[in-house]
Amino acid sequence: MTDGDGSQFAAYDAVVYDLDGTLIELAVDWDAVADAVLDVYAERALIPPTEELWGLLGAADEYGIRPEVEEAIALHERPGARESTRLPLGDRLAAATADDESADPHPPAGVCSLNCEDACRIAVETHGLGDALVSGAIVGRDTVGSHKPDPASLLAAINRLGEAPEDTLFVGDSQSDAVTAERGGVDFAWVSELLAE
């Protein structure tokens, strides 16, 4: 994906991308999402263990409100995916898979995201990345019952690509992405490093 030489991915049989902050930027006010989730707790007279969004999601199973919390988050993510912006790495991915016979082929690619699968699929469709990604390998936080930094979602995306963790590169923008890759035995690249090459 750099100047058509494909060298960044030459050592890998597959690539898995984080979505938000890596390929696209969701148009979501995450503070408003946290408030919506706090409302879910309040409506049930539950004392939230934290005010931090992902901590609230993590505790939702213990409180027996996981579906309600998931939906409160997804209600913001779906429209945020429709109104999202494609980022430079998303532009490069789209260009690498365009009808250009002179470009080196990009390895099969998937997504492992902390966003819900629905929002991931909406964003992929909105930004014309469907040809660049294997549809069955788009994995959100609600796809396999656990989410980053637990590596299960990343390993599920890799499995759906038909590849092995040691032959796959995970590309992301957060410490959580890096930890997920380490826990899954998968090589990791920061999106900023790829864009700098």
Side-chain angles (χ1 to χ4, degrees), residues 91-158:
D91 292 341
R92 288 190 186 183
L93 179 61
T97 54
D99 267 341
D100 181 359
E101 293 182 12
S102 65
D104 287 340
H106 186 280
V111 163
C112 171
S113 177
L114 190 53
N115 303 113
C116 69
E117 183 178 333
D118 235 11
C120 294
R121 292 188 178 281
I122 291 167
V124 165
E125 181 181 329
T126 298
H127 294 290
L129 294 173
D131 290 341
L133 299 165
V134 175
S135 178
I138 297 174
V139 176
R141 72 168 177 274
D142 54 346
T143 305
V144 297
S146 71
H147 56 80
K148 300 183 292 185
D150 184 311
S153 54
L154 174 58
L155 296 175
I158 293 168

